Amino acid sequence: MRSRKIGLLLLILIMIVVTCSGAQLMAATKVCKLAEVHPPDYPTAKGDSKFAELVEKYTNGRYKIQCFFNSQLGSENDVVEQAKLGVIEFTRVSIAPVVTVYPEIGVFTMPFIFTSQEHQWKVLNGPIGQHFLDQCVKANLIGLGYFEAGARHFYANKPLDNLASLKGLKIRVQPSPVPVTMVKLLGAIPTPIAYGEVYSALQTGVVDGAENNYPSWVTQNHCEVAKYLIQDAHLRQPEIMLASKKFWDTLSKADQAAIRRAMKEATEYQIKEWNNHEFEALEQAKARGCIVKPANIAEFQAAMAPIYDMPEYKIYKEWIEKIKATK
Ligand code: BDP
């Protein structure tokens, strides 16, 4: 009698296990889209691929991420909108396009806001960085974490020796408020253009120059058509990984935690990739015949300083003070 009962219990147990694992197997893998403007071998894009690999691993294959590189899904301003509406699940973008849907985060687009890479990461990894990730929810976006993007410098198709050489030049900027103001303050003419179109704008003379970090200057071949770069390092603008809130709300708490864990590890990986490749890109540019000059940084800082007192950027005041106070 007793052994019959045990047998029955065992049978029930086996049936439960079989049913559960069957359901698990049948639970369809959700394939998510991630938008990226860079090619797959760019350090930031490698960070995306690492993130995708870890999300699949930590969600036991329930979520797979397909990365769409080279602006295949549209410009950064477009994909931020798509993520907001839930058309795509993830996007990795620069902070500048996020400003259109969440203005306060634009404090990270202010010139010379961070004094070094260490200062930048101290801020991003602390309460200020967390505040801005959390508040993306106001725009129906989930801020998952930041990536490194080095320092940005001006480059043009004419020799750039100092601040005066930028006067009157048409400079491509990211379609976002601060970059426009910043370039005006230098006496140049800002032209907002999506990243994927900058090479042809430079090549056809729509603009005379642009500004970006070394890897972007080189991988997009801007260095071919704008070979003079001045190392003014006016901006250290972080990158951000966003998820669509609409998608995020469909996830279990455990899967949300798995995705956050994946992003944390992907960030560590991306920073290493970045640090290994940033200056390699500079060497490649020099080998391709580019002319790189050091800038009198104080001169650029002085020219851009009035931006900090402009009424339209007063919303950043409190945060600027907190960032400056972070040692
Ligand atoms: C690159 C960023 C990318 C931006 C691009 C730009 O990685 O996210 O789209 O600059 O200038 O450095 O638009």
Side-chain angles (χ1 to χ4, degrees):
M1 189 62 189
R2 203 180 131 86
S3 62
R4 260 177 136 197
K5 261 191 182 167
I6 294 177
L8 200 64
L9 273 174
L10 266 176
L11 193 67
I12 293 171
L13 207 67
I14 290 169
M15 280 170 74
I16 291 173
V17 169
V18 169
T19 319
C20 286
S21 54
Q24 179 88 15
L25 282 176
M26 272 157 35
T29 298
K30 158 102 178 138
V31 181
C32 304
K33 293 191 177 76
L34 186 155
E36 170 58 73
V37 294
H38 293 297
D41 57 350
Y42 187 95
T44 306
K46 286 192 187 166
D48 302 337
S49 300
K50 176 56 82 184
F51 172 64
E53 173 197 317
L54 294 175
V55 166
E56 187 172 348
K57 181 171 162 198
Y58 295 149
T59 64
N60 295 320
R62 281 188 296 281
Y63 293 90
K64 246 186 157 106
I65 297 179
Q66 194 182 352
C67 298
F68 290 82
F69 300 106
N70 292 315
S71 308
Q72 280 177 76
L73 299 182
S75 71
E76 291 200 335
N77 289 65
D78 291 341
V79 294
V80 164
E81 278 300 324
Q82 291 172 27
K84 198 179 147 183
L85 297 172
V87 179
I88 59 170
E89 290 79 10
F90 298 97
T91 184
R92 192 295 311 163
V93 288
S94 166
I95 297 290
V98 187
V99 179
T100 51
V101 295
Y102 169 33
E104 289 84 355
I105 202 168
V107 67
F108 292 149
T109 68
M110 290 291 266
F112 300 107
I113 188 76
F114 299 117
T115 52
S116 63
Q117 189 182 39
E118 293 68 37
H119 179 221
Q120 173 189 326
W121 283 101
K122 193 88 200 282
V123 171
L124 297 179
N125 287 331
I128 304 174
Q130 194 56 49
H131 166 87
F132 285 104
L133 290 178
D134 293 345
Q135 292 299 305
C136 286
V137 76
K138 284 185 179 167
N140 282 327
L141 296 166
I142 302 296
L144 291 175
Y146 302 101
F147 277 169
E148 172 65 48
R152 295 173 77 107
H153 313 276
F154 285 96
Y155 44 86
N157 56 10
K158 303 184 171 63
L160 296 181
D161 301 319
N162 48 35
L163 180 61
S165 359
L166 280 163
K167 287 243 174 330
L169 296 191
K170 279 179 282 162
I171 301 290
R172 176 271 170 173
V173 291
Q174 290 180 284
S176 196
V178 169
V180 171
T181 310
M182 184 179 81
V183 165
K184 276 190 193 154
L185 285 171
L186 302 181
I189 304 154
T191 311
I193 296 177
Y195 186 61
E197 290 156 27
V198 181
Y199 176 80
S200 66
L202 284 165
Q203 196 191 30
T204 55
V206 169
V207 290
D208 306 302
E211 51 78 59
N212 220 314
N213 49 40
Y214 302 130
S216 293
W217 184 42
V218 173
T219 54
Q220 297 296 307
N221 292 320
H222 297 173
C223 64
E224 228 174 56
V225 280
K227 66 173 190 171
Y228 302 94
L229 181 143
I230 184 153
Q231 295 170 301
D232 71 300
H234 54 274
L235 181 59
R236 294 195 66 89
Q237 182 180 207
E239 318 269 35
I240 189 167
M241 182 70 80
L242 297 169
S244 155
K245 179 170 185 300
K246 205 167 165 192
F247 159 69
W248 190 253
D249 291 344
T250 66
L251 298 171
S252 68
K253 287 273 172 282
D255 284 333
Q256 290 181 350
I259 293 175
R260 289 197 184 280
R261 178 178 171 204
M263 183 57 195
K264 201 163 180 293
E265 290 176 29
T267 300
E268 285 161 19
Y269 170 86
Q270 190 272 346
I271 297 174
K272 280 196 199 121
E273 280 293 314
W274 184 271
N275 289 342
N276 289 339
H277 294 291
E278 179 175 15
F279 293 97
E280 196 178 281
L282 175 61
E283 291 317 313
Q284 282 167 7
K286 287 182 184 166
R288 286 165 76 171
C290 292
I291 314 292
V292 177
K293 290 216 168 149
N296 172 359
I297 293 185
E299 179 184 48
F300 281 81
Q301 280 173 327
M304 294 187 196
I307 200 170
Y308 282 86
D309 296 318
M310 291 184 169
E312 58 267 51
Y313 302 122
K314 278 279 178 275
I315 52 161
Y316 302 151
K317 202 168 186 325
E318 169 201 353
W319 293 103
I320 289 165
E321 277 157 21
K322 286 187 181 156
I323 292 171
K324 285 204 173 136
T326 308
K327 292 274 176 302

